[in-house]
Amino acid sequence: FLGQLGRQCEERGIASLWLGEHVVTFPAYESKYPGASDGVFRFPEGSGLMDMVASIGYLAACTTTLRLGTGICILPQNNPVYVAKEYATLDFLSNGRLELGVGVGWSWEEFEACGVPFERRGARCDEYLEIIRTLWCDDVSSYDGEFYQLKPCHMYPKPIQKPMVPVTIGGHSRAALKRAAKYGTGWYGINLDPAGTAAVLAELDTHLAAEGRDRTDFKVVMGATADEF
């Protein structure tokens, strides 16, 4: 089914296909899901999301022009060196068709299952973005941060796209919009009507201006979800 979906998207002129990440789901959540009006995260019983790295690799082999995005990779619950390696490899194998969308996540339950602290995940995400950048862009990469230390090392192959794979930052919070303005080549939103989208973009514009940027060559990706299946 996945390969057929990718091929039919390509045949119909669809520019990109974005996959999501939740490695596990739970019978009940204390966490509130921001993509639903009532805060409830719903999946059909017995269903789940396939691993994004494997799925994008499969789609890359089934298509030739379709851009392939992560919508989103929950970066702070992942290892940043593995993220850099896996997605550089996917960009290399897809001949430069990857879009890396990242966010900080919303479910403390999933972080706990991954053995990663939920607290300060935003600051951890920022460090991880900097680590990925040096691994993708520098011949010799190193990092000395609060959450991660990386001794001088090499990572090859580098991504096909230069200077690096486009990074789209997901989330509607002020912190997410500031992160997008500082680190992103785009912003990924979900489940907003046109008025809500305009309000978020107006705030995003102020953060871009603070970084000496604007939305010229800055991509906006908007997804939609249903509150009920």
Side-chain angles (χ1 to χ4, degrees):
F1 169 79
L2 186 63
Q4 182 181 19
L5 174 65
R7 286 187 292 268
Q8 291 190 358
C9 284
E10 203 164 70
E11 290 168 3
R12 287 160 173 76
I14 293 173
S16 61
L17 181 63
W18 297 69
L19 306 183
E21 177 175 63
H22 288 292
V23 295
V24 292
T25 57
F26 300 88
Y29 288 84
E30 289 185 9
S31 302
K32 300 299 182 183
Y33 174 51
S37 58
D38 59 4
V40 177
F41 184 63
R42 295 178 175 88
F43 256 74
E45 188 172 349
S47 69
L49 296 176
M50 293 184 292
D51 175 72
M52 279 200 303
V53 175
S55 298
I56 289 175
Y58 183 80
L59 281 166
C62 295
T63 58
T64 57
T65 60
L66 185 69
R67 293 193 65 80
L68 304 168
T70 65
I72 55 162
C73 168
I74 307 172
L75 184 56
Q77 76 179 27
N78 283 269
N79 178 288
V81 178
Y82 263 102
V83 169
K85 183 67 171 185
E86 290 167 340
Y87 288 108
T89 300
L90 288 176
D91 194 63
F92 186 84
L93 292 175
S94 68
N95 196 29
R97 291 189 283 136
L98 182 67
E99 302 269 352
L100 181 64
V102 304
V104 301
W106 55 269
S107 166
W108 66 260
E109 295 93 340
E110 189 170 348
F111 275 74
E112 182 179 75
C114 294
V116 178
F118 187 66
E119 296 75 17
R120 303 205 62 213
R121 64 195 186 280
R124 187 178 298 107
C125 183
D126 293 348
E127 282 200 7
Y128 287 7
L129 287 167
E130 293 171 1
I131 293 164
I132 290 168
R133 180 181 295 275
T134 185
L135 288 166
W136 282 353
C137 297
D138 300 333
D139 178 38
V140 179
S141 304
S142 63
Y143 193 82
D144 185 14
E146 177 184 352
F147 303 98
Y148 209 94
Q149 291 76 46
L150 181 68
K151 292 183 178 180
C153 62
H154 304 284
M155 178 174 283
Y156 289 95
K158 302 294 188 187
I160 293 288
Q161 298 179 88
K162 303 301 180 188
M164 58 185 283
V165 173
V167 174
T168 301
I169 306 297
H172 300 172
S173 68
R174 176 169 294 181
L177 297 175
K178 292 178 71 173
R179 184 172 297 112
K182 183 174 182 179
Y183 295 107
T185 57
W187 171 73
Y188 185 101
I190 193 168
N191 220 31
L192 289 175
D193 61 19
T197 301
V200 172
L201 293 180
E203 182 178 354
L204 174 62
D205 286 339
T206 65
H207 298 307
L208 286 167
E211 296 288 338
R213 307 175 65 190
D214 58 33
R215 269 192 279 146
T216 304
D217 298 324
F218 188 90
K219 181 181 290 186
V220 174
V221 180
M222 180 59 66
T225 64
D227 284 358
E228 298 181 359
F229 288 88

